[in-house]
Amino acid sequence: MSRLKPLLMSELSPDLQHTMLAGEEIMGFSPNDGLIMARKPEMLNGILGLVQTLYQPSALPTEIKKLAALMTSSSSGCQYCEAHTTYGALKHGVDKQKIELIWEYPTHPLFTEAERVALDVARSAALVPNGVTDELFEQLKTHYTDEQIVELVGIISLFGFLNRWNSTFKTDIEATPKKATENLTLSK
């Protein structure tokens, strides 16, 4: 049970209702973390702006974004974000087998070398202290442009915040991502 109860849509100002409805259109449900964050409207709007910026179509493939978000959340142990990122990856067409085998990325042939490096960075960046080495970052540069790297680290950092937020609040997982992910088991 969430440590802080999510607000009801009826408790939000019209502007925040609009913001939450935009999120609901994208995700297919109203996220409880947003309904908790709505107590600080500026924060909710700031996070939404960052999410929209990072997930707009760009040179960094959506599949890499989704897998990096999942790896960051899974590495951090945030069940809420792991459910959300798994659901989002499935919704955006990421191969279900790739999702289930995400922890086997270093050796599984389903993953490309570019994906392996991105997932290494996501896993290492989720560690405390940060485990990204200079060598690993140099490997990243052989597969991605500077703009793509900034975007990848942006995704990882967004989920670093959301992982801590949702783990601290013990945010309840909504029915839609819970149902979509209940039959999946990520290898670890």
Side-chain angles (χ1 to χ4, degrees):
M1 182 172 201
S2 290
R3 290 180 170 143
L4 196 58
K5 183 181 171 191
L7 295 174
L8 301 173
M9 287 292 273
S10 61
E11 296 176 288
L12 304 180
S13 69
D15 285 351
L16 283 184
Q17 285 181 9
H18 178 72
T19 297
M20 289 304 298
L21 288 173
E24 190 173 317
E25 263 185 49
I26 294 166
M27 300 173 78
F29 58 92
S30 278
N32 286 331
D33 59 351
L35 291 168
I36 291 171
M37 200 178 295
R39 288 177 171 79
K40 186 74 176 163
E42 300 84 1
M43 184 182 290
L44 178 60
N45 286 321
I47 287 292
L48 179 61
L50 182 58
V51 168
Q52 289 173 332
T53 297
L54 291 171
Y55 279 112
Q56 66 186 347
S58 69
L60 186 64
T62 298
E63 184 171 4
I64 294 290
K65 294 177 190 184
K66 297 296 181 181
L67 290 172
L70 174 56
M71 177 54 73
T72 302
S73 297
S74 186
S75 296
S76 296
C78 178
Q79 294 175 342
Y80 181 87
C81 292
E82 188 176 70
H84 275 232
T85 56
T86 299
Y87 170 75
L90 288 168
K91 186 176 177 184
H92 285 89
V94 177
D95 183 339
K96 180 180 174 184
Q97 188 178 15
K98 239 181 199 177
I99 294 167
E100 289 180 319
L101 296 171
I102 192 150
W103 281 96
E104 294 181 37
Y105 76 90
T107 58
H108 200 283
L110 200 56
F111 296 89
T112 67
E113 189 58 34
E115 289 169 332
R116 287 187 181 101
V117 172
L119 292 173
D120 272 344
V121 170
R123 181 185 49 76
S124 298
L127 298 174
V128 177
N130 188 307
V132 177
T133 64
D134 290 341
E135 294 80 17
L136 181 55
F137 206 84
E138 287 303 315
Q139 289 176 22
L140 192 64
K141 288 180 178 181
T142 66
H143 296 282
Y144 299 98
T145 66
D146 289 354
E147 182 181 346
Q148 289 173 314
I149 291 170
V150 167
E151 200 167 351
L152 177 65
V153 174
I155 293 283
I156 294 165
S157 299
L158 168 66
F159 280 94
F161 171 81
L162 291 172
N163 295 161
R164 270 127 193 100
W165 177 273
N166 289 300
S167 291
T168 301
F169 281 113
K170 288 180 67 176
T171 309
D172 291 329
I173 302 168
E174 305 81 5
T176 301
K178 186 181 278 188
K179 184 176 181 189
T181 60
E182 64 189 6
N183 295 324
L184 290 177
T185 304
L186 303 184
S187 64
K188 280 194 182 180

